[in-house]
Amino acid sequence: MPKGKGPQGKRITLKVAKNAVRVLFNGRRRLELSKMGIAVFPKCLLELADVEEIDLSRNMLRKIPNIIEKFQNLMWLDLHSNQIDELPAEIGTLQNLTYLNLCNNKLTTKGLPEELTRLKNLRTLNLGLNCLETIPTTLGALRELIELGLFDNSLTIIPKSVKKLPKLERLNVKRNPLPEFAKEDEPIDTVKRIESLYLVEKKDLCNSCLQMCQGERDELHKLEDVTPGPSDKPSFPSLTTPNSTAIDNQEEWRMKDENLEDIPGQSTDDVP
């Protein structure tokens, strides 16, 4: 088995990690280790614990160690598309964190620690594409939350405390077995229909009812006279049929052809 490969995935050295640090336009430093085949959180990253952003997405991570608490400057953490099934309680110590992406992992409801609600400055939280069956009502403590992704889970209810977050602008709960999405809207029938129809003779109607029925019958007859009957031929009023133009100019073209015949070497094929 090649050195550096195996059950623990690719080995990340401090040199590799340092070379993966990028300075963003806003001055923040981002440690970019996406798609590196990492299966275990590299301990050497502790030497870079002062970075503001870390991208460990698209790896094979199963656990986030408790040493994550050492990254107190962290404002942006992307862990999407790994195999994480639980978060450590120490995640709640990252008080500067505003962005946390945990989409497309294996998180269960038990894997969400209560300490997650201590992230008082969190504005974006993505928990989509996981294995969540319920959402803790304590997430309602994240009062600064603007975006919350809960799509593609197994949720049957969204707590009111989450729905009523004061700054929440985008809540994505698509593709969950929620009751409000269980029954599709029935098509609306815009045609007015009658439930019953009674046939009576004129002699059985009073004068006022008879006059009303006759008036409605006369209105129907008027509509029949106004409404044009179906045409045997399709009508295209906005189009000019080729034959109509050809007929109008037929004589003119015939005369041109006759004149061309008098000119040696010329034919109608040469006319542009």
Side-chain angles (χ1 to χ4, degrees):
M1 186 176 296
K3 186 178 180 180
K5 300 281 185 177
Q8 293 188 344
K10 183 177 180 179
R11 181 181 302 170
I12 299 298
T13 64
L14 181 58
K15 180 179 180 181
V16 170
K18 285 183 177 180
N19 290 334
V21 176
R22 304 287 182 269
V23 179
L24 306 181
F25 69 94
N26 56 10
R28 295 183 188 176
R29 291 162 300 163
R30 177 180 294 181
L31 180 56
E32 296 184 351
L33 294 174
S34 180
K35 296 185 289 186
M36 298 286 286
I38 303 171
V40 177
F41 192 92
K43 291 184 178 179
C44 67
L45 299 188
L46 287 173
E47 299 293 329
L48 302 170
D50 58 343
V51 296
E52 292 84 12
E53 301 188 2
I54 295 180
D55 184 359
L56 279 166
S57 64
R58 299 184 179 92
N59 282 293
M60 300 180 293
L61 292 170
R62 295 181 179 274
K63 304 288 182 184
I64 299 299
N66 54 15
I67 60 174
I68 194 69
E69 65 181 351
K70 301 295 183 181
F71 295 80
Q72 286 299 306
N73 289 340
L74 210 56
M75 303 176 68
W76 191 94
L77 179 58
D78 193 346
L79 297 169
H80 85 266
S81 302
N82 279 281
Q83 300 177 30
I84 302 169
D85 54 11
E86 64 177 346
L87 296 174
E90 287 77 10
I91 195 79
T93 65
L94 305 178
Q95 294 297 302
N96 291 316
L97 203 62
T98 62
Y99 176 94
L100 178 58
N101 189 354
L102 293 162
C103 174
N104 194 22
N105 277 284
K106 296 183 179 181
L107 286 169
T108 62
T109 303
K110 292 182 179 180
L112 296 179
E114 185 177 350
E115 288 78 6
L116 190 65
T117 61
R118 296 180 182 176
L119 301 175
K120 302 300 183 181
N121 291 310
L122 199 62
R123 292 178 173 83
T124 299
L125 175 60
N126 193 346
L127 294 170
L129 280 166
N130 277 285
C131 307
L132 303 174
E133 295 182 352
T134 59
I135 290 295
T137 57
T138 52
L139 281 186
L142 301 176
R143 312 291 286 180
E144 296 297 317
L145 209 58
I146 297 175
E147 293 184 78
L148 177 58
L150 299 173
F151 53 92
D152 291 291
N153 279 285
S154 301
L155 303 174
T156 57
I157 188 171
I158 305 297
K160 290 183 179 180
S161 60
V162 174
K163 289 181 178 180
K164 294 183 178 181
L165 282 167
K167 296 185 179 181
L168 193 62
E169 296 179 2
R170 290 178 287 278
L171 175 60
N172 189 344
V173 295
K174 294 180 179 179
R175 295 176 295 278
N176 277 286
L178 295 166
E180 52 262 45
F181 298 135
K183 184 179 180 181
E184 297 182 358
D185 294 336
E186 295 182 358
I188 299 175
D189 189 356
T190 57
V191 179
K192 294 182 179 180
R193 304 180 187 277
I194 57 175
E195 297 180 358
S196 302
L197 177 64
Y198 299 95
L199 300 177
V200 296
E201 296 184 6
K202 289 183 180 180
K203 63 183 181 64
D204 295 324
L205 294 174
C206 63
N207 290 333
S208 59
C209 292
L210 182 59
Q211 291 177 0
M212 181 180 67
C213 291
Q214 289 176 339
E216 291 182 356
R217 184 184 60 187
D218 293 341
E219 290 294 327
L220 287 175
H221 287 324
K222 290 179 181 178
L223 289 175
E224 290 177 356
D225 295 337
V226 173
T227 305
S231 176
D232 294 334
K233 296 182 180 180
S235 175
F236 304 97
S238 60
L239 299 178
T240 301
T241 58
N243 284 342
S244 63
T245 304
I247 292 173
D248 293 340
N249 298 326
Q250 181 176 336
E251 183 64 24
E252 179 181 351
W253 283 106
R254 186 183 63 78
M255 295 176 63
K256 288 183 177 180
D257 289 342
E258 290 177 352
N259 292 334
L260 287 172
E261 290 177 357
D262 298 335
I263 303 175
Q266 291 284 348
S267 68
T268 54
D269 294 336
D270 298 321
V271 179

